[in-house]
Amino acid sequence: MAIIFADPPSDKRSSEKPACTVLCGKAKSDGLSYAMPSGGGGVLAADLSLRLPFGPGGDAEPEDVDMSGFFGVASKSDCVGDLFYGTDYHSHLGTMRGGMAVWNGAAVDRAIHDITNAPFRTKFDPDLGRFRGRSGIGVISDWEDQPLLIGSHLGCYAIVTVGAVRNAAELRHAAFQRRTHFSEMSGGDVNPTELVATLINEGGSFDEGIRFAQQRVEGSCSLLLLHRDAIYAARDYRGRTPVVLGRREDAWAVTLETCAFPNLGFEPVRELGPGEVVRLTVDGPETLASPRPDCRICAFLWVYFGYPASTYEGRNVEDMRNRSGAILARRETIEVDEVAGIPDSGVGHGLGYAAEAGIPYRRPFVKYTPTWPRSFMPQDERARRLVAKMKLIPIAELIRNKRIVFCEDSIVRGTQLCDTIGRLFQAGARAVHLRPACPPLLFECPFLNFSRSRSEMDLIARRVLQDVTGQSEEVPPEALDPDSELYDAMCRRIAADLGLTTVRYQRLEDMAAAIGLPLTRICTYCWNRCG
C-alpha cells in the first residue's frame, strides 16, 4: 500500500491535482513513478493536503455541499471529446472542482482542476491532447476532488459520486475500527467519495460492493465507477438524483443531466430506477441490481437545479416551469403591468405566468453572464451579495412607474432578494410582487444540500416563523397550511422584511401538479419533511 504525493503535504487545501496515470501495480505522476503492491487497498492520489484534527469517532464533518453532476461514455472509438463536452454540460451544477478519468487500454489517465475562477472547458482544454481511450467518466463537483483513483482487491478503478453522506462520522469510525486509513484528507475532512469507495471495497465484486455502499449511506449517493473498459453506474437507493442511459450508433453514455445528450448525438434510452446498478460497455448495459419500487426524486431539480433542456422521470424542466408559472397565474388576485422572471431559473416560471395571465413578459433585470458565477456559491455572505448585485443590471425604462410581478424559483435566505427588490424601488417601481415556484423552505435538506446554510434558522421562512410564534424548535402544522392564519401572517412578515408589496408561494399540490408526478414519488422534505 502506498500514498502518492506529487507535492509535499501542507495544511492548505489543494486546488489542482496534476494528471496522474495509475497502473495495477505502480503509478506515476508528472513523470515520477512510485511502486504500489497490486493487491493493496486504499487510494492513489496526487497533490494531497493532510490534516487530522480528529481521532476515530471524532465529530469533524464535511461542509455542506451543493449539487454536482457526472457523465460517462463507452465508445467504439476515442471517447475523449464526448466525455469532455458531456461533463461540461453539467457546469451549472458546480463551480469548485472538475475532473475526468479515461481508460487508455493499459491504465487510467486522470486530471482534476480547480474551476472556481475559470470554466471547465478552459481548464481542461490543454489536457485533451494527452487523453486517449474508449471509456471514461467525468464530474463537476462542488466540494471534494474527483474522480478518485482506487487500488483494491477488486482492481484499479476510478470513481465519482453525487450526493451527501450524512453518516460520515459513523462510517469513518467503523472504518478506523477495521484499521482502514484514508488518504484524501483535505482540510481535515474525509473525502465522501473515498468513504464510498471504502464501502465498495468490502464487497466481493463491484456490484456487491456498490449495493453494500448504497445500503450503508444515509443521505444519498449516485455514482459512476470506471474499471478498464466498463462503467458501473448506480442510482441513489431512493432515486433522489437521476441517472440516465443514452445510446448512439457507436457508443453508450450515462449522465445526470440529459441536456448533455442532443448535441453529442445520443438518444435517451431509459433512466435507472432507485438503487439500480448496471455495467455499461460499448455493447450496452447489463443490469446487476434491479431497481427498487419506491422513488423519491428531488422536486427541486425541476424548480431550480435542473437545466431547462433536461428531463427527469419523463418530465422536462422547462415545461414544468412553464406549467408552474401558469398555475401561479390562475390563483392570482392582483393587477400588474408586467411579468418578469429572476434570472435564470425564474425565467421559465415567469414565461408560463405571463402566457396564462395574458400580461406582457419583460426583462427589467438582465443578467451579465460572461464573468459572474452563480451567486449562492461563495461561502462568505458579503461575497454572495456582491455577486448577486453585480450580475443583475436593472433597466430603468422597464421599471419606472410599473407594477411588476416577479417569478422566482424559491426564497432561501432572502438576503440577495432584499437588495434586488430595493434596487427596483430605487428605479421607480410602483409595486413589486414576488411569486416563488415552491412553498416556503422550512427544513434543511438531509439528502442533497442545495445551499451552504449552516442551520435551518438561516432560512428566512424559519426565522420569520420563530418571530411570529416564539417557537424555535418546532414548526406548527398550521405553518404548512396555505389557508391558515399563521401561514398568512408568515407570508406578510416575509414580504415586509424583504420590502415586497406582496409575496405568495406556490402550493405544494400545485408544484407536484406542475411536475406531473404524485407527491408520493417526489421528495418534498425541505417543505414538509416528507421524503
Side-chain angles (χ1 to χ4, degrees):
M1 172 60 214
I3 302 175
I4 300 170
F5 294 94
D7 296 308
S10 70
D11 286 340
K12 183 180 179 181
R13 177 175 178 81
S14 69
S15 62
E16 299 281 341
K17 284 199 172 182
C20 183
T21 299
V22 173
L23 302 112
C24 295
K26 64 179 181 179
K28 61 180 181 178
S29 178
D30 285 356
L32 301 178
S33 295
Y34 302 79
M36 184 194 79
S38 59
V43 176
L44 292 172
D47 193 18
L48 296 176
S49 301
L50 300 184
R51 183 159 56 89
L52 299 170
F54 53 81
D59 295 324
E61 290 286 354
E63 293 181 12
D64 284 352
V65 297
D66 299 299
M67 278 290 289
S68 302
F70 55 50
F71 185 86
V73 60
S75 176
K76 293 180 180 178
S77 57
D78 189 79
C79 74
V80 175
D82 290 332
L83 181 62
F84 174 72
Y85 289 110
T87 304
D88 182 62
Y89 276 122
H90 291 78
S91 293
H92 59 288
L93 295 175
T95 58
M96 291 291 289
R97 299 287 186 272
M100 297 197 314
V102 176
W103 172 254
N104 65 20
V108 174
D109 290 324
R110 180 194 66 173
I112 297 175
H113 291 295
D114 183 336
I115 56 173
T116 53
N117 295 313
F120 176 89
R121 288 195 309 275
T122 301
K123 282 297 185 78
F124 280 84
D125 185 67
D127 294 318
L128 296 186
R130 70 168 189 83
F131 275 118
R132 289 291 183 274
R134 297 185 179 184
S135 57
I137 57 176
V139 65
I140 300 290
S141 176
D142 251 338
W143 169 243
E144 70 267 33
D145 292 336
Q146 301 188 63
L148 294 188
L149 303 178
I150 307 295
S152 79
H153 70 283
L154 298 174
C156 298
Y157 62 90
I159 182 172
V160 300
T161 65
V162 169
V165 182
R166 286 302 193 178
N167 58 334
E170 172 194 336
L171 295 176
R172 184 181 62 231
H173 177 68
F176 285 148
Q177 293 294 102
R178 299 189 302 273
R179 304 291 195 270
T180 301
H181 76 272
F182 295 99
S183 302
E184 293 283 325
M185 303 300 302
S186 300
D189 298 324
V190 174
N191 185 314
T193 299
E194 183 181 7
L195 197 53
V196 172
T198 301
L199 295 172
I200 292 173
N201 291 341
E202 293 192 36
S205 63
F206 282 117
D207 57 304
E208 179 183 311
I210 291 170
R211 290 199 301 270
F212 177 73
Q214 288 176 321
Q215 294 170 12
R216 290 295 310 277
V217 168
E218 294 178 10
S220 67
C221 179
S222 293
L223 65 86
L224 298 181
L225 186 155
L226 175 66
H227 179 242
R228 297 184 180 273
D229 58 353
I231 298 170
Y232 292 81
R235 187 174 177 182
D236 169 68
Y237 203 62
R238 299 296 300 276
R240 302 192 191 280
T241 50
V243 179
V244 188
L245 297 174
R247 185 179 186 180
R248 197 175 62 196
E249 183 178 353
D250 62 338
W252 280 82
V254 58
T255 188
L256 189 146
E257 289 281 45
T258 60
C259 65
F261 281 161
N263 290 347
L264 297 177
F266 288 95
E267 290 289 338
V269 174
R270 70 176 183 89
E271 297 185 41
L272 300 192
E276 184 175 1
V277 182
V278 302
R279 181 179 183 271
L280 184 67
T281 68
V282 70
D283 297 319
E286 173 192 2
T287 299
L288 303 177
S290 300
R292 302 175 66 254
D294 51 334
C295 180
R296 282 286 190 169
I297 187 170
C298 175
F300 225 60
L301 284 162
W302 286 278
V303 173
Y304 171 69
F305 275 132
Y307 202 72
S310 285
T311 297
Y312 323 114
E313 303 296 325
R315 276 71 177 176
N316 173 259
V317 172
E318 182 71 0
D319 194 29
M320 176 274 174
R321 292 173 183 171
N322 292 166
R323 288 196 300 270
S324 172
I327 293 172
L328 283 167
R330 291 183 201 127
R331 292 188 178 273
E332 197 54 86
T333 59
I334 60 171
E335 293 185 1
V336 296
D337 301 307
E338 62 190 39
V339 180
I342 296 182
D344 285 317
S345 48
V347 171
H349 301 291
L351 288 170
Y353 186 113
E356 179 70 22
I359 300 171
Y361 182 87
R362 296 287 185 265
R363 293 200 299 165
F365 271 110
V366 292
K367 183 178 177 181
Y368 191 76
T369 57
T371 56
W372 289 102
R374 299 197 334 259
S375 57
F376 76 95
M377 289 304 306
Q379 182 66 33
D380 181 76
E381 177 62 29
R382 290 177 298 176
R384 285 197 298 267
R385 296 178 74 164
L386 174 64
V387 173
K389 177 180 179 180
M390 291 300 180
K391 75 177 182 179
L392 293 180
I393 305 173
I395 302 176
E397 291 81 357
L398 301 182
I399 299 172
R400 193 176 301 115
N401 296 321
K402 299 293 184 181
R403 298 168 298 175
I404 309 170
V405 59
F406 273 93
C407 291
E408 172 68 304
D409 52 77
S410 60
I411 308 176
V412 184
R413 303 174 188 87
T415 51
Q416 298 174 20
L417 268 176
C418 191
D419 294 340
T420 301
I421 293 158
R423 296 168 70 196
L424 287 166
F425 281 110
Q426 290 173 11
R430 289 172 55 195
V432 179
H433 308 273
L434 193 68
R435 300 297 180 257
C438 65
L441 293 162
L442 291 167
F443 307 101
E444 182 182 10
C445 175
F447 310 116
L448 294 168
N449 298 309
F450 63 84
S451 80
R452 294 181 179 268
S453 297
R454 296 291 187 174
S455 162
E456 287 184 343
M457 300 312 296
D458 287 343
L459 304 171
I460 187 172
R462 195 62 179 271
R463 294 198 309 270
V464 165
L465 189 61
Q466 178 185 12
D467 291 343
V468 171
T469 65
Q471 300 179 24
S472 60
E473 298 298 326
E474 297 297 325
V475 175
E478 310 92 87
L480 309 180
D481 180 4
D483 296 318
S484 71
E485 292 184 2
L486 177 58
Y487 186 96
D488 182 66
M490 177 177 65
C491 291
R492 289 177 182 274
R493 175 64 180 274
I494 290 172
D497 285 0
L498 295 179
L500 289 162
T501 307
T502 66
V503 63
R504 182 170 57 79
Y505 289 86
Q506 184 78 283
R507 291 171 175 252
L508 191 67
E509 64 270 21
D510 287 349
M511 183 187 71
I515 293 172
L517 293 174
L519 283 168
T520 54
R521 288 191 61 196
I522 57 178
C523 181
T524 57
Y525 188 97
C526 50
W527 299 295
N528 63 357
R529 274 190 172 167
C530 291

